[in-house]
Amino acid sequence: MNPYNSNSNKSLNKSVTRYAPKHKHLSSSQTKFVRIAITVGVYNKGFLNYWSKVFENCHFHDEILIEYLTYVGRKDRLKKQRQKSSEAKTKRVYEWQSKLKHEIYNQ
């Protein structure tokens, strides 16, 4: 058994697909490495902190952009909180069971 948390690993892998989708062929390009680096930066520093630092290093200051990044970060946090709730988990199980029943009966 390794000392690492597999849930964190799964979460990070899912985040990578946000920036580097599997259906795009990026395996040998620099784009893939940049997208993975963005994912790791956002994962380690947080969405708002990471992008604020990137824009600061590029000498790009825009209050509207910072407000938008704050909004997106807050929206993502709220979505994660909703997904962890027992109501959301119950809904996912119900939808999965319904889909499974549909597949069984339509074979």
Side-chain angles (χ1 to χ4, degrees):
M1 192 99 180
N2 65 23
Y4 303 107
N5 184 347
S6 63
N7 287 340
S8 295
N9 188 29
K10 288 177 185 177
S11 172
L12 191 55
N13 281 335
K14 187 175 181 181
S15 297
V16 167
T17 61
R18 181 179 189 183
Y19 293 102
K22 291 181 179 183
H23 71 278
K24 293 191 177 187
H25 302 286
L26 303 169
S27 60
S28 63
S29 69
Q30 190 66 23
T31 305
K32 178 183 177 185
F33 296 113
V34 170
R35 291 176 182 212
I36 291 173
I38 290 170
T39 303
V40 171
V42 169
Y43 186 81
N44 288 333
K45 296 289 186 183
F47 186 84
L48 181 61
N49 290 337
Y50 175 79
W51 287 111
S52 295
K53 193 71 169 170
V54 167
F55 292 126
E56 180 182 312
N57 288 339
C58 294
H59 306 290
F60 183 78
H61 301 284
D62 185 359
E63 291 300 320
I64 294 172
L65 180 62
I66 297 299
E67 287 178 25
Y68 174 73
L69 292 175
T70 305
Y71 164 76
V72 170
R74 184 176 34 231
K75 188 175 80 169
D76 286 349
R77 279 193 312 278
L78 291 174
K79 181 180 178 183
K80 286 179 185 177
Q81 287 174 353
R82 276 194 312 272
Q83 288 176 341
K84 288 181 180 180
S85 72
S86 60
E87 294 87 10
K89 290 179 183 179
T90 303
K91 182 180 176 187
R92 282 195 303 271
V93 168
Y94 176 76
E95 289 172 353
W96 177 77
Q97 289 173 342
S98 297
K99 181 180 176 185
L100 188 60
K101 286 178 187 176
H102 186 316
E103 289 176 4
I104 290 172
Y105 291 127
N106 290 332
Q107 282 186 352

